[in-house]
Amino acid sequence: MSLRSFLFGSVASYASVVVYYMVTDKKALPESSSKLESASKSILTHGIPDRGPNIQVYDNHVLSYDQAKKTPIWVAERITREHVNGPADRKNIRFKPDPDVPTRFSADNSDYLRSGWSRGHMSPAGDNKYSQEAMSQSFYLSNIVPQNLDNNAGFWNRLEIYCRDLTQRYNAVTIFSGPLSLPSPIEDGKLVVTYPVIGKNQVAVPTHLYKIIIVEDKNSKPIGIGSFIVPNKPIGFEHALTEYQVPLDEVERKTGVTFTPKLDTSGLRDLCEIDSCKLMQKGDFDSYFIGRRLKSANNRQTLEKAWKELDAKKITPTQYHIDVYKQKMEEFKNNERNKSEE
DNA sequence: CGGTAGTCCGTG
DNA sequence: CACGGACTACCG
Protein backbone atom coordinates (compact mmCIF):
# COMPACT_ATOMS: atom_id res chain seq x y z
CA MET A 1 0.00 0.00 0.00
CA SER A 2 1.34 3.39 -0.93
CA LEU A 3 1.68 6.12 1.66
CA ARG A 4 -0.50 8.26 -0.54
CA SER A 5 -3.40 5.85 -0.59
CA PHE A 6 -3.08 5.31 3.14
CA LEU A 7 -3.31 9.02 3.82
CA PHE A 8 -6.08 9.45 1.30
CA GLY A 9 -8.06 6.60 2.81
CA SER A 10 -7.58 7.86 6.33
CA VAL A 11 -8.59 11.40 5.52
CA ALA A 12 -11.60 10.25 3.57
CA SER A 13 -12.87 7.89 6.24
CA TYR A 14 -12.34 10.54 8.88
CA ALA A 15 -14.46 12.89 6.76
CA SER A 16 -17.28 10.37 6.48
CA VAL A 17 -17.18 9.78 10.24
CA VAL A 18 -17.56 13.50 10.75
CA VAL A 19 -20.64 13.64 8.57
CA TYR A 20 -22.18 10.71 10.38
CA TYR A 21 -21.39 12.29 13.72
CA MET A 22 -23.10 15.53 12.76
CA VAL A 23 -26.39 13.90 11.91
CA THR A 24 -26.46 11.32 14.68
CA ASP A 25 -24.71 11.01 18.00
CA LYS A 26 -22.38 13.80 19.05
CA LYS A 27 -20.35 11.31 21.04
CA ALA A 28 -19.97 8.93 18.11
CA LEU A 29 -16.75 10.38 16.78
CA PRO A 30 -14.54 10.44 19.86
CA GLU A 31 -15.85 7.12 21.04
CA SER A 32 -15.42 5.27 17.75
CA SER A 33 -11.95 6.62 17.12
CA SER A 34 -10.76 5.77 20.58
CA LYS A 35 -12.28 2.32 20.21
CA LEU A 36 -10.38 1.83 16.99
CA GLU A 37 -7.23 3.06 18.64
CA SER A 38 -7.69 0.55 21.37
CA ALA A 39 -8.56 -2.25 18.93
CA SER A 40 -5.39 -1.43 17.02
CA LYS A 41 -3.46 -2.44 20.11
CA SER A 42 -5.51 -5.54 20.90
CA ILE A 43 -7.07 -7.07 17.79
CA LEU A 44 -5.65 -5.24 14.81
CA THR A 45 -2.07 -5.47 15.96
CA HIS A 46 -0.89 -6.00 12.37
CA GLY A 47 -2.61 -2.93 11.07
CA ILE A 48 -6.11 -1.95 9.99
CA PRO A 49 -7.28 -3.85 6.88
CA ASP A 50 -7.36 -1.46 3.99
CA ARG A 51 -9.75 -1.52 1.05
CA GLY A 52 -7.99 1.39 -0.62
CA PRO A 53 -8.99 5.02 -0.73
CA ASN A 54 -12.61 5.61 0.11
CA ILE A 55 -12.75 8.61 -2.17
CA GLN A 56 -10.68 9.64 -5.16
CA VAL A 57 -10.85 13.19 -6.48
CA TYR A 58 -10.27 14.36 -10.05
CA ASP A 59 -10.69 17.70 -11.82
CA ASN A 60 -14.35 17.21 -12.68
CA HIS A 61 -15.43 14.03 -10.94
CA VAL A 62 -15.13 12.20 -7.65
CA LEU A 63 -15.41 8.46 -7.24
CA SER A 64 -15.29 5.55 -4.87
CA TYR A 65 -13.52 2.54 -6.30
CA ASP A 66 -14.10 -1.18 -5.77
CA GLN A 67 -10.72 -2.93 -5.71
CA ALA A 68 -12.38 -6.34 -5.99
CA LYS A 69 -14.65 -5.63 -8.94
CA LYS A 70 -12.15 -3.30 -10.65
CA THR A 71 -14.92 -0.81 -11.34
CA PRO A 72 -16.15 2.29 -9.55
CA ILE A 73 -18.88 1.94 -6.91
CA TRP A 74 -20.13 5.43 -7.59
CA VAL A 75 -18.94 8.38 -9.63
CA ALA A 76 -20.14 11.90 -8.83
CA GLU A 77 -20.21 15.01 -10.98
CA ARG A 78 -21.78 18.43 -10.68
CA ILE A 79 -21.98 19.92 -14.13
CA THR A 80 -23.01 23.28 -15.57
CA ARG A 81 -23.27 24.72 -19.08
CA GLU A 82 -19.62 25.71 -18.79
CA HIS A 83 -18.45 22.14 -18.25
CA VAL A 84 -20.26 20.62 -21.21
CA ASN A 85 -19.13 23.19 -23.77
CA GLY A 86 -15.61 23.78 -25.02
CA PRO A 87 -12.86 22.63 -27.31
CA ALA A 88 -11.73 19.46 -25.54
CA ASP A 89 -12.12 16.33 -27.64
CA ARG A 90 -11.58 12.63 -27.23
CA LYS A 91 -9.54 12.18 -30.43
CA ASN A 92 -6.13 12.00 -28.83
CA ILE A 93 -7.15 10.39 -25.57
CA ARG A 94 -6.91 6.70 -24.83
CA PHE A 95 -8.37 4.63 -22.05
CA LYS A 96 -5.73 3.74 -19.49
CA PRO A 97 -5.38 2.38 -15.97
CA ASP A 98 -5.78 5.02 -13.29
CA PRO A 99 -2.28 5.91 -12.06
CA ASP A 100 -3.75 6.26 -8.56
CA VAL A 101 -5.09 2.69 -8.46
CA PRO A 102 -2.55 -0.02 -7.51
CA THR A 103 -1.90 -2.21 -10.57
CA ARG A 104 -2.99 -5.43 -8.89
CA PHE A 105 -6.39 -3.89 -8.13
CA SER A 106 -6.81 -2.27 -11.54
CA ALA A 107 -8.35 -3.27 -14.82
CA ASP A 108 -6.34 -2.74 -17.97
CA ASN A 109 -7.32 -2.33 -21.59
CA SER A 110 -6.59 -5.96 -22.47
CA ASP A 111 -9.36 -7.02 -20.09
CA TYR A 112 -11.90 -5.21 -22.26
CA LEU A 113 -10.38 -5.91 -25.67
CA ARG A 114 -12.48 -8.46 -27.62
CA SER A 115 -14.30 -9.29 -24.37
CA GLY A 116 -17.67 -8.62 -25.95
CA TRP A 117 -18.14 -5.64 -23.60
CA SER A 118 -17.39 -2.00 -24.28
CA ARG A 119 -15.71 0.47 -21.95
CA GLY A 120 -18.50 2.60 -20.59
CA HIS A 121 -17.75 5.93 -18.95
CA MET A 122 -19.61 6.68 -15.72
CA SER A 123 -18.59 10.35 -15.78
CA PRO A 124 -18.94 10.83 -19.55
CA ALA A 125 -16.19 12.36 -21.66
CA GLY A 126 -18.77 14.81 -23.00
CA ASP A 127 -19.26 16.30 -19.54
CA ASN A 128 -15.67 17.55 -19.68
CA LYS A 129 -15.66 19.63 -22.86
CA TYR A 130 -14.26 22.60 -20.93
CA SER A 131 -10.97 20.91 -20.11
CA GLN A 132 -8.75 18.48 -22.01
CA GLU A 133 -7.16 17.42 -18.73
CA ALA A 134 -10.50 16.69 -17.07
CA MET A 135 -11.56 14.73 -20.14
CA SER A 136 -8.34 12.71 -20.06
CA GLN A 137 -9.01 11.81 -16.44
CA SER A 138 -12.45 10.55 -17.39
CA PHE A 139 -10.71 7.89 -19.52
CA TYR A 140 -9.01 6.35 -16.49
CA LEU A 141 -10.37 2.84 -16.11
CA SER A 142 -11.40 3.73 -12.53
CA ASN A 143 -14.27 5.62 -14.21
CA ILE A 144 -15.16 2.75 -16.56
CA VAL A 145 -17.40 -0.32 -16.35
CA PRO A 146 -17.97 -3.15 -18.84
CA GLN A 147 -21.06 -2.07 -20.71
CA ASN A 148 -23.11 -3.52 -23.51
CA LEU A 149 -21.98 -1.64 -26.62
CA ASP A 150 -25.44 -0.95 -27.97
CA ASN A 151 -26.60 0.29 -24.58
CA ASN A 152 -23.50 2.46 -24.22
CA ALA A 153 -23.82 4.08 -27.64
CA GLY A 154 -27.59 4.11 -27.53
CA PHE A 155 -29.90 4.42 -24.54
CA TRP A 156 -27.21 5.32 -22.01
CA ASN A 157 -25.68 7.80 -24.43
CA ARG A 158 -29.07 9.44 -24.87
CA LEU A 159 -29.47 9.58 -21.08
CA GLU A 160 -26.10 11.32 -20.81
CA ILE A 161 -27.10 13.78 -23.52
CA TYR A 162 -30.31 14.45 -21.59
CA CYS A 163 -28.25 15.23 -18.48
CA ARG A 164 -26.13 17.71 -20.42
CA ASP A 165 -29.29 19.25 -21.83
CA LEU A 166 -30.52 19.81 -18.27
CA THR A 167 -27.65 22.24 -17.72
CA GLN A 168 -29.41 24.60 -20.14
CA ARG A 169 -32.47 24.77 -17.90
CA TYR A 170 -30.92 24.43 -14.45
CA ASN A 171 -28.05 26.14 -12.70
CA ALA A 172 -26.22 22.90 -12.01
CA VAL A 173 -26.83 19.19 -12.31
CA THR A 174 -25.41 16.73 -9.80
CA ILE A 175 -25.10 13.21 -11.14
CA PHE A 176 -24.17 9.94 -9.46
CA SER A 177 -23.55 6.98 -11.76
CA GLY A 178 -22.36 3.44 -11.21
CA PRO A 179 -22.75 -0.28 -11.76
CA LEU A 180 -25.04 -2.73 -9.99
CA SER A 181 -25.02 -6.51 -9.78
CA LEU A 182 -28.62 -7.38 -9.05
CA PRO A 183 -30.10 -10.78 -8.23
CA SER A 184 -32.36 -12.64 -10.62
CA PRO A 185 -34.59 -15.67 -10.06
CA ILE A 186 -33.45 -19.20 -10.83
CA GLU A 187 -35.63 -22.29 -11.46
CA ASP A 188 -37.06 -22.63 -7.98
CA GLY A 189 -37.76 -18.92 -7.70
CA LYS A 190 -34.85 -18.24 -5.40
CA LEU A 191 -32.75 -15.19 -6.11
CA VAL A 192 -29.11 -15.40 -7.08
CA VAL A 193 -26.55 -12.86 -8.12
CA THR A 194 -24.51 -13.91 -11.13
CA TYR A 195 -22.35 -11.82 -13.36
CA PRO A 196 -19.55 -12.44 -15.83
CA VAL A 197 -16.02 -11.28 -15.21
CA ILE A 198 -13.70 -10.35 -18.06
CA GLY A 199 -9.97 -10.49 -18.73
CA LYS A 200 -7.07 -11.60 -16.62
CA ASN A 201 -8.09 -9.11 -13.95
CA GLN A 202 -11.64 -10.46 -13.87
CA VAL A 203 -13.37 -7.13 -14.16
CA ALA A 204 -16.97 -7.51 -12.96
CA VAL A 205 -19.64 -7.00 -15.61
CA PRO A 206 -22.64 -5.32 -13.98
CA THR A 207 -26.17 -6.50 -14.64
CA HIS A 208 -27.44 -2.91 -14.39
CA LEU A 209 -26.29 0.68 -14.27
CA TYR A 210 -27.80 3.42 -12.14
CA LYS A 211 -27.92 7.16 -12.47
CA ILE A 212 -29.15 9.70 -9.93
CA ILE A 213 -29.81 13.22 -11.19
CA ILE A 214 -30.34 16.25 -8.94
CA VAL A 215 -31.11 19.65 -10.48
CA GLU A 216 -30.67 23.07 -8.89
CA ASP A 217 -32.56 26.32 -9.41
CA LYS A 218 -31.07 29.81 -9.97
CA ASN A 219 -30.14 30.07 -6.31
CA SER A 220 -28.27 26.77 -6.43
CA LYS A 221 -31.02 25.23 -4.37
CA PRO A 222 -31.74 21.57 -5.19
CA ILE A 223 -35.29 21.30 -6.51
CA GLY A 224 -35.66 18.03 -8.42
CA ILE A 225 -34.37 14.48 -8.34
CA GLY A 226 -34.67 11.44 -10.59
CA SER A 227 -33.15 8.00 -9.96
CA PHE A 228 -32.88 5.31 -12.60
CA ILE A 229 -31.77 1.70 -12.83
CA VAL A 230 -31.07 0.57 -16.37
CA PRO A 231 -30.35 -3.02 -17.50
CA ASN A 232 -26.91 -3.48 -19.05
CA LYS A 233 -28.28 -4.62 -22.39
CA PRO A 234 -29.59 -3.09 -25.62
CA ILE A 235 -32.57 -0.79 -25.05
CA GLY A 236 -34.44 0.49 -28.08
CA PHE A 237 -36.24 3.73 -28.79
CA GLU A 238 -39.57 2.18 -27.85
CA HIS A 239 -38.56 2.34 -24.19
CA ALA A 240 -38.95 5.59 -22.26
CA LEU A 241 -36.55 6.68 -19.54
CA THR A 242 -39.41 6.78 -17.05
CA GLU A 243 -39.78 3.00 -17.36
CA TYR A 244 -36.51 2.74 -15.45
CA GLN A 245 -37.23 5.33 -12.79
CA VAL A 246 -37.02 4.09 -9.21
CA PRO A 247 -37.05 5.73 -5.78
CA LEU A 248 -33.67 7.00 -4.59
CA ASP A 249 -34.05 4.69 -1.61
CA GLU A 250 -34.00 1.70 -3.91
CA VAL A 251 -30.65 2.70 -5.42
CA GLU A 252 -29.29 3.39 -1.95
CA ARG A 253 -30.34 -0.01 -0.63
CA LYS A 254 -28.88 -1.78 -3.64
CA THR A 255 -25.57 0.09 -3.62
CA GLY A 256 -25.29 0.42 0.14
CA VAL A 257 -24.53 4.07 -0.40
CA THR A 258 -26.18 7.14 1.11
CA PHE A 259 -25.55 9.55 -1.72
CA THR A 260 -26.44 12.92 -0.21
CA PRO A 261 -26.14 12.72 3.59
CA LYS A 262 -26.55 16.49 3.90
CA LEU A 263 -29.62 16.79 1.71
CA ASP A 264 -33.16 15.87 2.67
CA THR A 265 -34.29 14.53 -0.71
CA SER A 266 -37.88 14.07 0.45
CA GLY A 267 -38.27 17.82 -0.09
CA LEU A 268 -37.42 17.56 -3.80
CA ARG A 269 -39.78 17.33 -6.75
CA ASP A 270 -39.79 14.43 -9.18
CA LEU A 271 -37.41 15.39 -12.00
CA CYS A 272 -39.70 13.77 -14.55
CA GLU A 273 -42.55 16.01 -13.43
CA ILE A 274 -40.69 19.31 -13.52
CA ASP A 275 -38.74 18.33 -16.63
CA SER A 276 -39.66 15.91 -19.41
CA CYS A 277 -37.23 13.01 -18.88
CA LYS A 278 -37.68 12.52 -22.61
CA LEU A 279 -34.67 11.16 -24.41
CA MET A 280 -33.80 11.93 -28.00
CA GLN A 281 -35.79 9.86 -30.46
CA LYS A 282 -34.39 7.96 -33.42
CA GLY A 283 -34.54 10.67 -36.07
CA ASP A 284 -33.04 13.37 -33.88
CA PHE A 285 -30.44 10.98 -32.56
CA ASP A 286 -29.26 9.97 -36.04
CA SER A 287 -29.26 13.62 -37.01
CA TYR A 288 -27.23 14.45 -33.92
CA PHE A 289 -24.38 12.07 -34.50
CA ILE A 290 -24.22 12.82 -38.20
CA GLY A 291 -23.71 16.42 -37.09
CA ARG A 292 -20.88 15.23 -34.86
CA ARG A 293 -19.33 13.31 -37.74
CA LEU A 294 -19.48 16.36 -39.98
CA LYS A 295 -17.87 18.43 -37.24
CA SER A 296 -15.03 15.98 -36.70
CA ALA A 297 -14.28 15.36 -40.38
CA ASN A 298 -10.66 16.20 -41.20
CA ASN A 299 -10.80 15.79 -44.95
CA ARG A 300 -13.14 16.32 -47.83
CA GLN A 301 -13.88 12.66 -48.32
CA THR A 302 -15.10 11.96 -44.78
CA LEU A 303 -17.06 15.18 -44.84
CA GLU A 304 -18.84 14.15 -48.04
CA LYS A 305 -19.45 10.71 -46.67
CA ALA A 306 -21.10 12.03 -43.51
CA TRP A 307 -23.19 14.39 -45.62
CA LYS A 308 -24.41 11.48 -47.76
CA GLU A 309 -25.61 9.70 -44.65
CA LEU A 310 -28.26 12.34 -44.25
CA ASP A 311 -29.78 11.34 -47.56
CA ALA A 312 -29.29 7.63 -46.94
CA LYS A 313 -31.19 7.89 -43.67
CA LYS A 314 -33.74 10.27 -45.12
CA ILE A 315 -32.86 13.02 -42.69
CA THR A 316 -33.53 16.61 -43.66
CA PRO A 317 -30.35 18.60 -43.04
CA THR A 318 -30.68 21.11 -40.23
CA GLN A 319 -29.18 24.57 -40.44
CA TYR A 320 -26.42 23.25 -38.20
CA HIS A 321 -25.59 20.49 -40.70
CA ILE A 322 -25.52 22.98 -43.54
CA ASP A 323 -23.39 25.51 -41.67
CA VAL A 324 -20.85 22.93 -40.55
CA TYR A 325 -20.68 21.40 -44.01
CA LYS A 326 -20.13 24.76 -45.71
CA GLN A 327 -17.56 25.91 -43.20
CA LYS A 328 -15.63 22.65 -43.34
CA MET A 329 -15.72 22.52 -47.12
CA GLU A 330 -14.37 26.05 -47.28
CA GLU A 331 -11.59 25.07 -44.90
CA PHE A 332 -10.58 22.02 -46.94
CA LYS A 333 -10.64 23.94 -50.20
CA ASN A 334 -8.35 26.57 -48.70
CA ASN A 335 -6.00 23.87 -47.48
CA GLU A 336 -5.84 22.35 -50.96
CA ARG A 337 -5.19 25.76 -52.50
CA ASN A 338 -2.38 26.48 -50.04
CA LYS A 339 -0.83 23.12 -50.73
CA SER A 340 -0.79 23.60 -54.48
CA GLU A 341 0.83 27.00 -54.04
CA GLU A 342 3.75 25.53 -52.13
C1' DC B 1 -22.09 11.81 -28.84
C1' DG B 2 -20.85 6.82 -27.72
C1' DG B 3 -17.71 3.13 -29.13
C1' DT B 4 -14.61 -1.27 -31.76
C1' DA B 5 -11.25 -3.19 -34.72
C1' DG B 6 -7.75 -3.63 -38.44
C1' DT B 7 -3.17 -2.32 -39.95
C1' DC B 8 1.27 -0.54 -39.79
C1' DC B 9 5.40 -0.07 -37.37
C1' DG B 10 8.83 0.42 -33.68
C1' DT B 11 10.71 -2.11 -29.73
C1' DG B 12 12.84 -5.73 -26.47
C1' DC C 1 8.22 -12.82 -32.83
C1' DA C 2 4.90 -11.02 -29.72
C1' DC C 3 3.27 -6.85 -28.02
C1' DG C 4 1.70 -2.12 -27.71
C1' DG C 5 1.14 2.64 -29.52
C1' DA C 6 -0.62 5.47 -33.44
C1' DC C 7 -3.44 6.00 -37.18
C1' DT C 8 -7.48 4.89 -40.06
C1' DA C 9 -11.96 3.14 -41.11
C1' DC C 10 -16.18 2.09 -39.47
C1' DC C 11 -20.92 1.80 -36.91
C1' DG C 12 -25.47 3.20 -33.92
Side-chain angles (χ1 to χ4, degrees):
Chain A
M1 180 189 66
S2 69
L3 177 61
R4 180 170 176 183
S5 79
F6 172 74
L7 290 174
F8 215 150
S10 304
V11 169
S13 49
Y14 176 77
S16 64
V17 168
V18 171
V19 170
Y20 187 69
Y21 151 77
M22 288 191 314
V23 298
T24 56
D25 184 354
K26 286 185 187 290
K27 288 174 186 166
L29 175 57
E31 196 179 330
S32 73
S33 60
S34 77
K35 272 188 174 174
L36 181 56
E37 205 172 303
S38 141
S40 298
K41 290 169 188 159
S42 56
I43 302 171
L44 297 172
T45 57
H46 310 303
I48 301 165
D50 175 23
R51 301 210 296 170
N54 183 27
I55 309 282
Q56 302 192 207
V57 180
Y58 305 85
D59 284 7
N60 197 34
H61 69 282
V62 175
L63 63 80
S64 188
Y65 183 75
D66 187 329
Q67 295 189 151
K69 288 192 161 75
K70 282 79 183 179
T71 62
I73 297 167
W74 55 261
V75 181
E77 322 155 66
R78 183 169 170 276
I79 56 170
T80 63
R81 283 179 290 282
E82 285 67 41
H83 292 102
V84 305
N85 289 293
D89 75 282
R90 56 155 66 209
K91 275 273 155 58
N92 297 315
I93 310 179
R94 266 157 291 280
F95 292 97
K96 63 175 183 183
D98 187 334
D100 286 333
V101 171
T103 306
R104 70 194 187 105
F105 296 134
S106 177
D108 64 39
N109 284 324
S110 71
D111 296 323
Y112 286 87
L113 229 56
R114 285 175 279 277
S115 69
W117 298 90
S118 70
R119 291 167 289 193
H121 283 77
M122 291 299 93
S123 169
D127 289 3
N128 301 284
K129 294 291 287 182
Y130 78 105
S131 159
Q132 194 66 33
E133 174 56 24
M135 188 178 284
S136 293
Q137 293 170 0
S138 81
F139 280 76
Y140 289 163
L141 295 178
S142 55
N143 181 44
I144 302 297
V145 308
Q147 189 173 2
N148 172 272
L149 176 56
D150 184 87
N151 179 288
N152 193 2
F155 189 89
W156 193 257
N157 187 15
R158 287 186 287 133
L159 174 53
E160 290 170 343
I161 291 168
Y162 175 67
C163 290
R164 285 192 283 274
D165 198 44
L166 285 170
T167 64
Q168 298 190 36
R169 297 184 289 281
Y170 298 96
N171 243 24
V173 184
T174 299
I175 306 164
F176 298 94
S177 311
L180 283 170
S181 294
L182 299 184
S184 56
I186 52 175
E187 301 79 40
D188 57 3
K190 289 180 179 172
L191 295 175
V192 294
V193 175
T194 56
Y195 53 85
V197 293
I198 55 172
K200 65 176 190 294
N201 293 304
Q202 302 194 343
V203 184
V205 179
T207 62
H208 295 72
L209 305 172
Y210 68 86
K211 200 176 273 294
I212 300 162
I213 305 168
I214 299 170
V215 293
E216 296 173 19
D217 69 10
K218 303 286 177 215
N219 304 315
S220 297
K221 180 173 173 273
I223 54 171
I225 185 168
S227 310
F228 308 91
I229 294 179
V230 177
N232 190 9
K233 64 181 189 188
I235 298 173
F237 291 93
E238 70 278 14
H239 292 285
L241 176 58
T242 49
E243 292 177 41
Y244 306 97
Q245 192 172 15
V246 297
L248 172 64
D249 179 69
E250 188 174 328
V251 184
E252 296 197 323
R253 288 169 186 263
K254 285 172 174 170
T255 54
V257 175
T258 303
F259 287 95
T260 56
K262 289 168 66 179
L263 175 66
D264 177 13
T265 54
S266 68
L268 303 183
R269 302 274 307 276
D270 177 353
L271 175 69
C272 299
E273 285 180 12
I274 62 174
D275 204 83
S276 72
C277 282
K278 284 212 168 73
L279 305 185
M280 223 178 258
Q281 282 308 293
K282 171 125 182 86
D284 291 332
F285 191 47
D286 286 343
S287 171
Y288 176 80
F289 64 67
I290 289 174
R292 290 292 151 184
R293 276 213 263 276
L294 287 170
K295 186 90 178 175
S296 67
N298 29 359
N299 59 60
R300 204 160 155 169
Q301 191 185 337
T302 49
L303 185 72
E304 299 280 22
K305 189 167 182 179
W307 183 258
K308 281 176 183 157
E309 274 189 80
L310 288 165
D311 195 52
K313 297 196 171 172
K314 314 228 179 295
I315 297 164
T316 315
T318 64
Q319 194 57 48
Y320 177 78
H321 290 132
I322 295 164
D323 291 345
V324 171
Y325 180 83
K326 280 183 177 167
Q327 189 231 316
K328 282 276 181 177
M329 188 54 80
E330 193 70 18
E331 184 185 324
F332 297 146
K333 280 180 181 168
N334 285 338
N335 288 349
E336 284 164 22
R337 208 169 299 143
N338 293 340
K339 256 189 182 169
S340 61
E341 281 169 12
E342 277 172 8

